[in-house]
Amino acid sequence: MGSYNDMTGDVVGNGIEIPAYDAGRAARRDEAVRAAVEQGLLGPGSPIVGLLDVTGIRESAAALRAAFDAVVAPGTPVLHAFAVKATPLVPVLRLLREEGIGAEVASPGELALARAAGVGPEATVLDSPAKTPAELREALALGIAVNADNPQELDRIDALMRSAASRSPLGIRVNPQVGGGSIGATSTATATSKFGVALRDEGAREWVVRAYQDRPWLTRLHAHTGSQGIPLSLLAQGVAAAYTLAEEINRRIGRRQIDTLDIGGGLPVNFASDATTPTYAQYARLLSEAVPGLFDGRYGLVTEFGRSLLAKHGTIVARVEYAKSAGGRPVAVTHAGVQVATRTVYAPGSWPLRIAAHDGKGRPKEGPAVVQDVAGPACFSGDLLAEGAALPLLEQGDFAAALDTGAYYFAHHYAYNSLARPGVYGFAPKDAGDGAGGIAFATVREPQSLDEIVAESGGAHASSLTTLRAPRSR
Ligand SMILES: *Cc1c(COP(=O)(O)O)cnc(C)c1O
């Protein structure tokens, strides 16, 4: 086993021994790519798909539950709310719900997805930084938990609470300002982050304490320190800051008004190999050491993990349409680029992806590693899934698989060049009953049709501009 680098979330060292759990996932993935080609999901006419490993998703959900079950006092209420933004797909939310996981939503759209998946109000948390009065009213009417981001939002909640009673558990999001990680764009606890009440600012702590003193219905406290690139130690510091504040508030009020801590998500994912590291168990143990008291049963807990639940269970597979050479470097032109891997294409230093080469039948490709570029279909030169990657030479008709893309990738389509959203399919081993083995697929999301692209691009309003009254001639 390689050693875990706390700063990058990467496993370092070569010849990493992959645990059985992770080796099983890699084998299932290879099998699924082959079956997708064999069953015609992938081919010349459908040159890109997203694949989701249902077995792996269930395993991760179980690992999350077990990790916290192992450290909390018996009977502690724990809600693991999946951050819907990581993989906003209704069947995924339904699968997670079946595995005992709720939903953290941050927009009317995400709330609608969670409701469509059958996630009830008791398992839903609303956290957006820009909630409108109408969204707040709906959330309070439904009884969904809400964390107020700032004093103005709390004013709006005050008005709603005066007008009608609500079952919603309510809290305030604080920014513990413990600092950022290696990726600025996903660090939410910097001094000037846009999220929450900046706890170390002049007068802010007193304001928060008074807000709770004045409102007996404020029973939760929320902090989310960041995503990918945040070292575990910094995540723990953010949780510790929230815990300390809750203790202070309850002490000063003289009763346990805050009964639940929402500790956010943000466990980093290892994109460098098939190893799952860090694990939920490691994080839960670290928290129990760093924040003694957090798990002793006095507080209910909410977590909001996103990427760590889904990333390693998704694969984008794209056909190599052409293989060429430029300036001495081989370039594989595939159908996966900026439209499905937006962060990687625009910020490759922060979001590198592993690419696996498969032959035209979907089998893992053998052969010496060749340094090559894996390009996407979009019309700008930076549309590269990987630059200078060393893998078996990709040839026309092969498939390039972008690994660990189950969160914040194919579910986050970017409509550059009007490229269609690819179909997304879940896979699982066929019922072993008949002994035949093999892989079964289920549709998670249909590929987008050309008619849909036209409709979403103003197709119904084709002559709206030409019939708009012309400016008066001078
Ligand atoms: C994005 C987000 C999460 C999930 O972060 P991951 O890195 O995907 O685990 C959780 N809580 C809040 C408030 C978020 O904005």
Side-chain angles (χ1 to χ4, degrees), residues 253-268:
I253 295 179
R255 66 190 181 87
R256 306 210 59 77
Q257 180 173 318
I258 296 178
D259 60 20
T260 301
L261 291 173
D262 181 338
I263 63 171
L267 192 71

Side-chain angles (χ1 to χ4, degrees), residues 50-147:
L51 300 179
L52 283 168
D53 177 3
V54 172
T55 312
I57 296 170
R58 287 190 194 275
E59 285 177 355
S60 281
L64 170 58
R65 288 193 328 255
F68 281 80
D69 284 352
V71 293
V72 301
T76 304
V78 182
L79 169 65
H80 298 295
F82 174 63
V84 170
K85 76 169 183 281
T87 309
L89 295 167
V90 172
V92 169
L93 304 181
R94 169 73 60 90
L95 173 64
L96 289 172
R97 188 71 200 108
E98 195 183 282
E99 291 294 329
I101 309 289
E104 186 262 357
V105 300
S107 71
E110 288 182 359
L111 175 56
L113 299 186
R115 296 184 73 186
V119 182
E122 75 294 343
T124 305
V125 179
L126 174 63
D127 275 339
S128 125
K131 307 174 195 85
T132 64
E135 283 171 62
L136 288 167
R137 191 175 313 111
E138 187 191 15
L140 265 57
L142 291 168
I144 288 170
V146 176
N147 291 309

Side-chain angles (χ1 to χ4, degrees), residues 83 85 104 127 173 224 227 265-266 304-307 408:
K85 76 169 183 281
E104 186 262 357
D127 275 339
R173 175 171 184 173
H224 167 69
S227 299
E304 304 171 342
F305 295 103
R307 181 178 289 105
Y408 304 99

Side-chain angles (χ1 to χ4, degrees), residues 338-340 342 346 380 412-419 421:
V338 74
Q339 88 277 29
V340 286
T342 315
Y346 286 135
F380 66 100
H412 292 61
H413 190 77
Y414 174 51
Y416 199 97
N417 274 149
S418 300
L419 289 161
R421 280 191 290 268

Side-chain angles (χ1 to χ4, degrees), residues 244 360 388:
T244 305

Side-chain angles (χ1 to χ4, degrees), residues 178-218:
V178 291
S182 62
I183 306 175
T186 53
S187 298
T188 52
T190 56
T192 56
S193 160
K194 72 173 180 181
F195 294 105
V197 177
L199 204 51
R200 294 182 184 177
D201 282 12
E202 176 96 45
R205 199 177 182 92
E206 267 316 296
W207 179 85
V208 172
V209 173
R210 235 171 316 113
Y212 281 85
Q213 285 172 332
D214 295 346
R215 295 168 185 80
W217 40 263
L218 276 179

Side-chain angles (χ1 to χ4, degrees), residues 225-242:
T225 295
S227 299
Q228 195 62 21
I230 306 287
L232 288 196
S233 51
L234 195 63
L235 287 178
Q237 274 180 49
V239 174

